[in-house]
Amino acid sequence: MLIDFHTHAFPEKIAGRAMGNLSHAAGGLRPQTLGTIASLKAEMDRDGVDMAVIQSIATNPQQQANVNDFAMEINQDDRLYAFGSVHPDAPDALAELERIAAAGLKGVKLHPEYQGFYADDEKMKPIYRKISSLGLVTLFHAGTDIGFPPPYHAMPEHLKNALRWIDSPVVAAHWGGAGCGPEVVEKLCGENIYFDLSFGYGVISKPVAQQIIDRHGCHRLLFGSDMPWHRPEWELRLIDSLDISPADREKIFHQNAAFLLGL
């Protein structure tokens, strides 16, 4: 079984516009799907993905209810799990987290660049405490972002500091931090945090990827692609090029994700 823990999709009526805006912001990065649920599932079928987790982001306080309504809708699909999202500046963020949990969503996606906060900012403590009390998974965009200039808001040091306030599972996307491989090895490997392995192909060097695997352990690694920006088949090529035992590959490909999703 193969579970892709990091994908994106949008409502049909806005998918085209959203993909165009995001591609432009990312310097013309070419998407591999149309950004719709149907095109996501078609890519899953092509690359042998059995289940996927869709990670949406509330980019402003007014948007969070609509983002979570969409997540609750697509979460009914037996091949898809959707995380919700809250915006740190929304006055009803804590109540929205309760609604997310009550609807059966398994976690929340936070993107410190789009949402304008440092991962270890004191203002996030009430949100992290509420997430922890509800037993939700928190997935952070981690490291650099090609759509934003520095300084970046979820570097390994920020995430390490934030862990003291979160008692439920935490996932740092993009190998623990996009563009931060050596810093991930130094500051996050061995900590109580999961890494998803999305958007690594052609980006992270093989020696650094192997170091992360060896030092962090495969019991806290999750297969991911970041569809529509990367294809699962690309990320599988990277994993296949590394020294990983068959038992550890099963942890990465589905066992760890199944545990976090309560499957």
Side-chain angles (χ1 to χ4, degrees):
M1 174 177 278
L2 184 61
I3 300 175
D4 189 333
F5 209 82
H6 193 138
T7 71
H8 303 283
F10 303 91
E12 188 97 26
K13 63 182 180 181
I14 69 164
R17 183 170 74 253
M19 295 304 297
N21 291 341
L22 289 167
S23 179
H24 177 75
L29 186 65
R30 183 172 177 266
Q32 302 300 307
T33 79
L34 299 177
T36 62
I37 294 295
S39 63
L40 172 70
K41 292 176 77 172
E43 184 61 43
M44 290 168 63
D45 290 340
R46 271 193 296 270
D47 288 359
V49 177
D50 298 287
M51 303 176 69
V53 185
I54 295 175
Q55 307 286 352
S56 299
I57 308 158
T59 57
N60 62 64
Q62 296 74 36
Q63 188 189 50
Q64 70 177 11
N66 289 337
V67 166
N68 294 325
D69 287 344
F70 178 60
M72 293 169 194
E73 177 185 336
I74 60 179
N75 206 50
Q76 305 304 311
D77 190 301
D78 60 4
R79 293 184 67 194
L80 302 176
Y81 282 80
F83 277 22
S85 185
V86 294
H87 195 284
D89 296 330
D92 59 343
L94 301 185
E96 188 68 6
L97 285 168
E98 292 183 354
R99 189 170 81 97
I100 286 169
L105 304 187
K106 302 297 185 179
V108 293
K109 167 74 181 288
L110 298 175
H111 197 307
E113 308 309 326
Y114 278 104
Q115 296 178 314
F117 70 94
Y118 281 95
D120 57 354
D121 192 316
E122 289 268 346
K123 78 172 185 178
M124 296 301 296
K125 283 174 67 174
I127 291 176
Y128 295 156
R129 294 300 190 197
K130 175 60 78 170
I131 289 171
S132 298
S133 72
L134 295 168
L136 296 170
V137 178
T138 306
L139 186 141
F140 286 97
H141 169 85
T144 64
D145 189 302
I146 57 178
F148 292 84
Y152 297 106
H153 296 71
M155 301 296 274
E157 185 70 24
H158 303 135
L159 293 170
K160 184 174 181 178
N161 291 338
L163 289 176
R164 60 190 162 167
W165 298 327
I166 312 174
D167 296 323
S168 54
V170 176
V171 180
H174 314 308
W175 288 82
C180 301
E183 194 176 349
V184 169
V185 172
E186 177 189 352
K187 296 182 177 178
L188 282 183
C189 282
E191 296 289 333
N192 186 22
I193 186 170
Y194 290 81
F195 303 156
D196 84 36
L197 308 186
S198 64
F199 208 86
Y201 178 76
V203 178
I204 191 170
S205 72
K206 284 176 56 177
V208 171
Q210 189 69 56
Q211 250 192 317
I212 290 173
I213 285 168
D214 293 342
R215 295 211 185 174
H216 197 53
C218 293
H219 61 298
R220 290 199 186 102
L221 301 178
L222 304 155
F223 178 80
S225 66
D226 205 10
M227 280 193 284
W229 308 113
H230 269 201
R231 290 184 56 198
E233 191 268 336
W234 298 352
E235 306 308 323
L236 288 169
R237 283 189 217 168
L238 173 58
I239 291 172
D240 286 344
S241 74
L242 301 172
D243 182 15
I244 307 173
S245 73
D248 282 341
R249 287 166 62 91
E250 293 303 300
K251 292 174 187 174
I252 294 170
F253 287 158
H254 68 92
Q255 290 174 358
N256 298 333
F259 172 73
L260 292 180
L261 297 172
L263 301 182

